[in-house]
Amino acid sequence: MTNGAAGEGAGRAYIGSFTSAGGRGITAVAVDAGTGEPSFLGATDAVPDPSYLAVGDGPGGGVLYAVSETEHGAAAALDITGDVPRPIGELRPVEGEGPTHLALAAGHLLTANYGSGSVTALSLRPDGSVGPVGSVLRHEGSGPDSERQRAPHAHQVLPDPSGAWVLSVDLGTDSVRICALDTATGALRLHGETVLRPGTGPRHLAFHPDGGHAYVLNELEPTVTVCRWDAAAGVLEPVAETAVLPEGEEGAEDLVTYPSEVVVSHDGRFLWTANRGHDSISVLALDPAGERARTVTTVDCGGHWPRDLALDPTGRWLYAANERSGNVSWFAVDATTGIPRRAGSLDVPAASCVVFA
């Protein structure tokens, strides 16, 4: 790929990677709007193992937030007004182990801490840097998988579309917790818990554009659980479950598959999942009501062990962060069928996620 500054019609994206596995840390790229091609701008290893990223607003422009997925987890803020992200303030301990995900909600930064099975809410300072911990909500429970579900493992945290609730997806307890966030103090209060089928190991969740449905991707069994979401009551209700691999697909029965990420199209017609092991992207069609998902096909992810999947702001390009092959592949999305067609690949050692500014 070519190096250089962003050209006309180019946007920005940021790629996280595991520094402990030879990754650069956080890589900044310019993305050509016409071709979807990312071009390398610069990188920083200021944050150890920045496995997940999120973009927010700061007083001088954009701010990038990163978890440090280490035993003693931390979060960091970086200025992204230049080509290379620059740290703002210091690494802030999250009082949790192995944070795998983060999100912004109501003026706070939230982290899902896989190792300790907890969610942390941190304050944000006026300059965009990460402030002190406001609260830590510790999950409780376990699941039937004696190896992976002996204890809680919070894998994702995100606000719902209404902004009234915070949802945390826990692989260890086969459940999704719904919490209220006190915007003044950062205190998290448990409102309810939706229990999913035992042993499925939920990992990530994505909302439908209508705000009334959500899709929970399960890691321990390669399925998607379709749910209704009632924002007024803060209730998540499972209504259906669909396998992400087509029935009878050649070779699929011989592979252990661990889905990693779920993405919904901007028009709510399609859903995609990244599947580690099977090394594929699944295409699922959603019915007009958003309550049924039908697996259409899979396409090769363009690498090995796709840890993340991201749709660009236009909805035309889909990006897979292939951790073990060390590359980010990108695909043109067919607007009629939802099937991605591979367009290219960028070398990014130990790639873990892609986010757009």
Side-chain angles (χ1 to χ4, degrees):
M1 311 308 302
T2 57
N3 293 346
E8 185 177 353
R12 292 290 180 94
Y14 300 90
I15 304 166
S17 63
F18 288 97
T19 55
S20 60
R24 301 185 187 108
I26 299 171
T27 298
V29 294
V31 182
D32 187 287
T35 66
E37 179 177 356
S39 299
F40 180 83
L41 291 173
T44 176
D45 61 0
V47 181
D49 288 343
S51 64
Y52 206 84
L53 311 171
V55 177
D57 297 323
V63 177
L64 184 70
Y65 294 95
V67 293
S68 178
E69 190 178 334
T70 55
E71 181 180 358
H72 303 293
L78 300 100
D79 183 301
I80 51 173
T81 56
D83 283 349
V84 180
R86 179 181 56 82
I88 307 171
E90 59 188 17
L91 276 173
R92 178 70 63 173
V94 299
E95 299 179 14
E97 299 172 5
T100 54
H101 191 267
L102 81 170
L104 295 157
H108 291 78
L109 186 67
L110 309 171
T111 68
N113 311 313
Y114 182 88
S116 53
S118 61
V119 172
T120 301
L122 302 108
S123 61
L124 294 177
R125 291 174 168 163
D127 65 354
S129 62
V130 183
V133 169
S135 66
V136 178
L137 181 73
R138 303 191 183 282
H139 293 183
E140 296 181 356
S142 60
D145 188 316
S146 60
E147 182 177 347
R148 299 290 307 278
Q149 296 184 309
R150 293 179 181 177
H153 292 300
H155 215 304
Q156 183 198 34
V157 61
L158 74 167
D160 84 302
S162 76
W165 307 100
V166 169
L167 284 75
S168 57
V169 183
D170 195 301
L171 183 148
T173 62
D174 292 317
S175 63
V176 179
R177 288 169 175 78
I178 298 98
C179 298
L181 173 66
D182 187 313
T183 58
T185 66
L188 285 162
R189 175 182 57 82
L190 182 63
H191 170 76
E193 182 177 3
T194 297
V195 178
L196 304 178
R197 186 165 61 83
T200 52
R203 176 184 174 96
H204 275 202
L205 173 157
F207 283 98
H208 191 281
D210 69 7
H213 296 85
Y215 308 93
V216 181
L217 182 64
N218 301 308
E219 177 176 332
L220 300 185
E221 291 192 14
T223 58
V224 167
T225 303
V226 181
C227 301
R228 295 189 188 110
W229 170 245
D230 183 342
V235 173
L236 187 71
E237 176 192 2
V239 295
E241 190 177 308
T242 303
V244 301
L245 300 181
E247 185 177 354
E249 182 169 295
E250 185 177 357
E253 66 277 3
D254 300 325
L255 293 170
V256 179
T257 299
Y258 300 103
S260 59
E261 184 61 292
V262 56
V263 174
V264 181
S265 64
H266 295 336
D267 61 10
R269 296 173 55 222
F270 302 106
L271 179 153
W272 301 280
T273 72
N275 310 311
R276 296 168 298 175
H278 194 256
D279 286 345
S280 66
I281 298 171
S282 292
V283 183
L284 290 83
L286 299 174
D287 71 352
E291 296 206 347
R292 292 292 182 271
R294 175 177 58 87
T295 304
V296 176
T297 189
T298 61
V299 299
D300 190 283
C301 69
H304 179 35
W305 212 251
R307 185 181 176 89
D308 189 41
L309 199 61
L311 191 65
D312 85 316
T314 71
R316 296 172 54 201
W317 306 100
L318 192 65
Y319 296 76
N322 300 308
E323 181 184 351
R324 294 185 181 175
S325 55
N327 70 304
V328 171
S329 51
W330 76 94
F331 302 77
V333 175
D334 187 300
T336 302
T337 66
I339 297 175
R341 175 182 54 81
R342 196 185 330 172
S345 178
L346 177 70
D347 289 341
V348 184
S352 59
C353 77
V354 180
V355 298
F356 290 86

